């Protein structure tokens, strides 16, 4: 996006990419449909960036969701709003959009240099790139760093840039997983039986936050959309305390009194699991979760009173013992502190060098917010470069 803005000013632009082909993480983002942005009103939209909202609000207001949708439409990829309010291209994948975008960039004169990994500066302050045929040194008038965070390192965003900027005195918040899963000490019986099983239409709560959606049991823990929505608070709690207790409501739309009434019915010769499945419509994995919680508390599910069982169904405690590796996270938190940037996204300590995207210190939940801010900061950094070149030329 920065390259597009800069090229439109008439400047010559080269994109140096460490990978063999462009947009690999963009293609991964589109694997589930390419959620470009969200249709909610802009004031609500901006709150999704938490502590970074004051620093991101201006650039997103200048390049908001409606403008991103118009940009996609201009590439021949019209968008639609899904039932959740999320915005997707009608093709429902990233590859047609990326192909059209690269074609338009090429027509604008943007060149691509693949398999070029930035390694820092030489003694003259020029950029150094490692490549298969040997090191290359270039001396641009301005540079935009858009190197990503540290999630999905096999796609290029491995956080290797941190050391080079720290050496320049640039303050960088530690890179941490965002929108990722957590580890849970499941029993062998539970993980052998329920690994890969979804918890559907549940409500997850932690502290004052509550999210409805789905989660997925993994062999080592739990992940999924509803987990990701709470991941920042859960991650910080695990880092601070060594663990965090998540509560899961298996039947969030059924009041406690109604649950007690259903559970008070005679179960006859049915096993408890069969009774819970038929009377309360719990899934096998949900029942397994109840059994895990009972065993962890030193009791059995069958010994609980009706009221206690009803309470447990809508407040199953799951102790998160750790954070899944950052390489498995959808995105990452941390990065270049905003105080290190001027209003044009230029790194103050490195004049002529700008930064954008996930390498900056912000995070957001899934739902279109990640791509929107990446596009908007790229657009802002591109504008900053145009202004910088104009000043240097005057």
């Amino acid at each position: 996006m920065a390259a597009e803005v800069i090229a439109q000013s008439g400047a010559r632009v080269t994109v140096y990419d460490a990978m063999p082909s462009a947009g690999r993480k963009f293609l991964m983002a589109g694997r589930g449909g390419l959620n470009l942005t969200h249709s909610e009103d802009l004031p609500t939209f901006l709150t999704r960036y938490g502590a970074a909202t004051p620093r991101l609000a201006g650039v997103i207001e200048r390049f908001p969701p409606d403008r991103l949708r118009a940009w996609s439409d201009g590439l021949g990829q019209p968008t639609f709003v899904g039932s959740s309010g999320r915005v997707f291209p009608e093709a429902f994948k990233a590859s047609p959009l990326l192909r059209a975008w690269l074609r338009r960039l090429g027509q604008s004169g943007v060149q691509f240099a693949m398999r070029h990994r930035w390694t820092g500066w030489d003694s003259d302050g020029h950029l150094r790139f490692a490549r298969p045929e040997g090191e290359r040194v270039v001396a641009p008038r301005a540079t935009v760093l858009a190197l990503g965070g540290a999630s999905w390192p096999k796609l290029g965003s491995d956080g290797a840039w941190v050391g080079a900027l720290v050496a320049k005195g640039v303050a960088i918040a530690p890179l941490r997983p965002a929108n990722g899963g957590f580890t849970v000490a499941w029993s062998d019986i539970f993980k052998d039986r329920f690994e890969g099983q979804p918890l559907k239409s549940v409500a997850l709560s932690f502290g004052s936050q509550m999210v409805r959606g789905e989660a997925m049991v993994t062999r080592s823990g739990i992940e999924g959309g509803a987990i990701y929505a709470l991941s920042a608070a859960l991650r910080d709690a695990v880092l601070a305390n060594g663990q965090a207790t998540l509560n899961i409501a298996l039947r969030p739309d059924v009041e406690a009194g109604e649950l007690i009434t259903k559970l008070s019915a005679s179960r006859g010769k049915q096993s408890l699991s069969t009774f819970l499945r038929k009377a309360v419509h719990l899934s096998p994995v949900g029942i397994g979760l109840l059994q895990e919680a009972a065993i962890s508390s030193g009791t059995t599910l069958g010994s609980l009173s009706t009221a206690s069982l009803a309470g447990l169904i809508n407040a199953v405690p799951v102790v998160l013992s750790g954070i899944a590796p950052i390489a498995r996270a959808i995105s990452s938190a941390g990065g270049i502190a905003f105080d290190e940037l001027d209003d044009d996204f230029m790194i103050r300590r490195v004049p002529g060098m700008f930064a954008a995207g996930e390498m900056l210190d912000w995070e957001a939940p899934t739902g279109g917010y990640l791509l929107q801010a990446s596009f908007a900061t790229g657009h802002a950094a591109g504008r900053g470069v145009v202004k910088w070149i104009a000043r240097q030329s005057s």
Side-chain angles (χ1 to χ4, degrees):
M1 180 55 75
E4 184 165 37
V5 172
I6 299 166
Q8 288 169 353
S9 75
R12 290 187 295 113
V13 181
T14 301
V15 176
Y16 296 89
D17 196 318
M19 304 305 288
S21 59
R24 292 204 167 189
K25 197 169 183 185
F26 186 70
L27 291 172
M28 174 60 74
R31 189 175 62 174
L34 191 63
N35 182 192
L36 275 175
T37 187
H38 202 286
S39 63
E40 65 192 357
D41 63 277
L42 192 57
T44 301
F45 188 102
L46 292 173
T47 66
R48 309 304 185 188
Y49 298 97
T53 295
R55 308 306 297 267
L56 290 176
V59 295
I60 293 175
E61 287 170 348
R62 185 157 183 177
F63 193 84
D66 285 350
R67 189 168 175 186
L68 178 54
R69 295 184 68 182
W71 170 86
S72 181
D73 188 71
L75 286 168
Q77 298 298 314
T79 58
F80 72 95
V81 179
S83 58
S84 63
R86 299 183 180 197
V87 175
F88 302 89
E90 288 182 0
F92 211 61
K93 53 186 177 181
S95 52
L97 177 58
L98 180 60
R99 284 195 299 270
W101 193 8
L102 293 175
R103 184 166 55 249
R104 189 166 74 183
L105 287 171
Q107 291 167 350
S108 299
V110 175
Q111 298 184 11
F112 285 80
M114 311 310 299
R115 293 186 172 91
H116 279 62
R117 180 174 294 277
W118 180 63
T119 59
W121 298 266
D122 68 6
S123 57
D124 295 320
H126 300 156
L127 302 180
R128 300 173 63 187
F129 291 94
R131 54 180 185 159
E133 56 269 45
E135 184 176 78
R136 180 178 180 184
V137 176
V138 299
R141 298 174 68 187
T143 303
V144 176
L145 297 179
L147 303 172
S151 66
W152 289 93
K154 67 180 183 180
L155 301 179
S157 56
D158 57 9
W161 51 267
V162 171
L165 291 181
V166 167
K168 288 282 189 180
V170 179
I172 297 175
L175 298 176
R176 308 180 305 281
N179 295 297
F182 295 86
T183 57
V184 180
W186 303 125
S187 68
D188 289 340
I189 293 175
F190 182 83
K191 60 189 178 186
D192 286 345
R193 183 174 180 190
F194 297 114
E195 175 187 5
Q197 294 293 309
L199 289 160
K200 296 185 176 183
S201 302
V202 295
L204 278 58
S205 58
F206 178 70
S208 61
Q209 300 182 60
M210 191 275 287
V211 174
R212 287 177 177 250
E214 295 188 7
M216 178 74 72
V217 172
T218 68
R219 189 160 190 82
S220 60
I222 192 167
E223 59 183 35
I227 293 290
Y228 303 154
L230 296 173
S231 66
L234 291 170
R235 177 199 64 220
D236 292 346
V238 171
L239 290 174
N241 307 313
Q243 64 178 39
T245 300
L246 173 73
N247 285 299
I248 300 179
L250 299 173
R251 294 301 313 278
D253 294 318
V254 182
E255 298 290 339
E258 185 179 351
L259 279 176
I260 291 173
T261 299
K262 291 177 179 292
L263 293 170
S264 297
S266 172
R267 76 180 201 215
K269 296 181 179 180
Q270 297 179 102
S271 67
L272 180 56
S273 293
T274 300
F275 176 68
L276 290 173
R277 180 170 56 81
K278 292 184 176 181
V280 195
H281 304 295
L282 295 182
S283 65
V285 64
I287 296 168
L289 208 59
L290 292 174
Q291 292 169 334
E292 287 283 287
I295 293 170
S296 295
S297 66
T299 186
T300 63
L301 205 57
S303 67
L304 296 179
S305 67
T306 300
S308 295
L309 181 55
L312 184 63
I313 286 172
N314 274 341
V316 187
V318 176
V319 178
L320 311 179
S321 56
I323 304 167
I326 194 170
R328 285 181 51 83
I330 289 176
S331 58
S332 58
I336 299 172
F338 276 100
D339 288 345
E340 296 287 346
L341 307 175
D342 68 10
D343 291 341
D344 292 321
F345 284 70
M346 185 173 75
I347 302 174
R348 300 178 194 273
R349 297 176 189 271
V350 192
M353 178 166 278
F354 299 73
E358 202 176 331
M359 66 186 300
L360 306 182
D361 185 17
W362 61 275
E363 63 180 305
T366 57
Y369 311 105
L370 294 167
L371 279 177
Q372 177 68 53
S374 294
F375 277 111
T377 55
H379 196 271
R383 295 196 309 269
V385 166
V386 173
K387 290 172 61 176
W388 168 262
I389 292 176
R391 287 199 300 268
Q392 300 305 304
S393 302
S394 62

